Amino acid sequence: MIRVLVADDQALVRGGFRVLVDSAPDLEVVGEAGDGTEAVALARKERPDVILMDIRMPHLDGLEATRVICGA
């Protein structure tokens, strides 16, 4: 099973991705984040295999959140 974290500041977009991911038999959504700070915290907690990250989010944009998660 591939564990997926969805990060987007728009709840409707997150919900749409959740439906798509959850419909695949080998994928599961392990968390949803509404901003970059939350994405970093959830990535550390849940240790997903894949993160679908919006690059424009409040508090910490997706590019910087990705850098933090990757340790760069």
Side-chain angles (χ1 to χ4, degrees):
M1 186 68 70
I2 299 170
R3 299 164 43 81
V4 180
L5 171 65
V6 179
D8 195 293
D9 59 326
Q10 296 181 36
L12 188 59
V13 172
R14 286 195 315 271
F17 278 123
R18 176 179 276 280
V19 169
L20 289 172
V21 170
D22 283 342
S23 69
D26 58 343
L27 301 175
E28 83 173 306
V29 174
V30 295
E32 294 184 28
D35 62 49
T37 304
E38 187 178 0
V40 170
L42 278 172
R44 288 179 176 157
K45 178 183 176 207
E46 297 296 335
R47 310 284 296 169
D49 300 305
V50 175
I51 301 175
L52 297 176
M53 181 84 73
D54 182 10
I55 62 169
R56 292 187 180 157
M57 291 187 290
H59 307 295
L60 185 66
D61 68 40
L63 297 174
E64 189 58 32
T66 300
R67 284 186 193 100
V68 171
I69 290 166
C70 293

